[in-house]
Amino acid sequence: MTTQLSVEDIEHVTTQWLEQVVIGLNLCPFAAKPQRNKQIKIEVCEGTDDQTVMDCLLAELTLLDTSDAAELETTLVVTPNIFQDFDEYNQFLDVADMLVDQFGWRGIYQIASFHPDYCFADVEPEDESNLTNRSPYPVFHLIREASIEKAFKYYGGNAEDIPQINIDRVCGLSESEKKTLFPYLFRATPRN
């Protein structure tokens, strides 16, 4: 099913999630600076089939590869019209990772995953820990590995502790805070 929202609306909702959840809750301690410096691109891929999404991912990875990190740090590829089912999205991640390998980008770029129904492998779908990776739409986050390594050098804590810190943070949210930060999870009508 395709979304009724405009590209601008999808970008706005995604930016709001990035600023209020990812940065606001400090789920990614490295996101605030690139967002402040306008180095994060949100690319809405309106495709409804795997090939169109692959083409979009390839175009955005190529753009990262030909851009200076000072201009373009990272890209969020948002796919509002496909991969509404988390299992289908998760299977497509393997294909996306093969694209990274095919172009020799392993160790240079990686893809992080976010989805409205994100579910970690060893937890139940309703487990609050899944909120750390729940976004308004399916998102493929294209990350420069060199930027992660650089950020870790300046990070004051232990990088291995970040996932548990994030889980503790989202599990500590009140019901009201969850409804404010994740309104797309509390819609009266089911997501398609």
Side-chain angles (χ1 to χ4, degrees):
M1 178 177 173
T2 59
T3 182
Q4 302 300 314
L5 296 176
S6 69
V7 168
E8 293 77 18
D9 289 336
I10 294 165
E11 288 173 354
H12 174 75
V13 169
T14 304
T15 300
Q16 193 171 29
W17 163 75
L18 175 65
E19 292 177 348
Q20 293 179 355
V21 176
V22 177
I23 295 171
L25 295 177
N26 201 31
L27 299 182
C28 177
F30 321 120
K33 184 178 178 185
Q35 178 65 1
R36 195 170 46 250
N37 293 338
K38 301 186 183 327
Q39 297 166 296
I40 299 176
K41 179 181 181 189
I42 295 175
E43 176 64 25
V44 177
C45 177
E46 296 183 86
T48 57
D49 61 86
D50 290 7
Q51 186 59 54
T52 304
V53 176
M54 287 295 291
D55 292 345
C56 185
L57 289 172
L58 178 58
E60 294 306 316
L61 283 162
T62 301
L63 181 61
L64 277 175
D65 205 48
T66 58
S67 300
D68 189 275
E71 295 297 318
L72 178 61
E73 179 67 48
T74 190
T75 301
L76 301 175
V77 177
V78 184
T79 59
N81 300 324
I82 189 171
F83 304 127
Q84 302 311 307
D85 179 82
F86 178 67
D87 289 333
E88 289 175 14
Y89 169 85
N90 209 25
Q91 289 173 7
F92 185 81
L93 279 171
D94 292 335
V95 177
D97 280 336
M98 286 190 294
L99 181 73
V100 170
D101 288 334
Q102 179 183 347
F103 284 86
W105 289 326
R106 177 73 51 209
I108 299 170
Y109 304 105
Q110 64 178 256
I111 302 174
S113 54
F114 300 91
H115 191 279
D117 296 318
Y118 195 95
C119 185
F120 289 106
D122 297 327
V123 300
E124 294 298 317
E126 61 277 356
D127 193 289
E128 292 179 330
S129 65
N130 293 314
L131 289 174
T132 63
N133 286 58
R134 290 207 170 159
S135 56
Y137 304 100
V139 172
F140 299 89
H141 181 193
L142 311 180
I143 306 168
R144 295 175 186 269
E145 291 206 7
S147 296
I148 293 173
E149 292 169 15
K150 183 178 175 184
F152 280 149
K153 287 181 183 175
Y154 296 103
Y155 178 62
N158 186 347
E160 289 79 31
D161 294 338
I162 292 173
Q164 189 59 52
I165 291 168
N166 290 348
I167 289 169
D168 293 345
R169 190 167 289 126
V170 297
C171 289
L173 294 171
S174 70
E175 204 60 28
S176 173
E177 289 170 320
K178 289 176 195 167
K179 287 180 180 177
T180 298
L181 294 170
F182 302 95
Y184 47 90
L185 299 179
F186 295 93
R187 292 184 192 134
T189 57
R191 290 184 308 279
N192 289 320

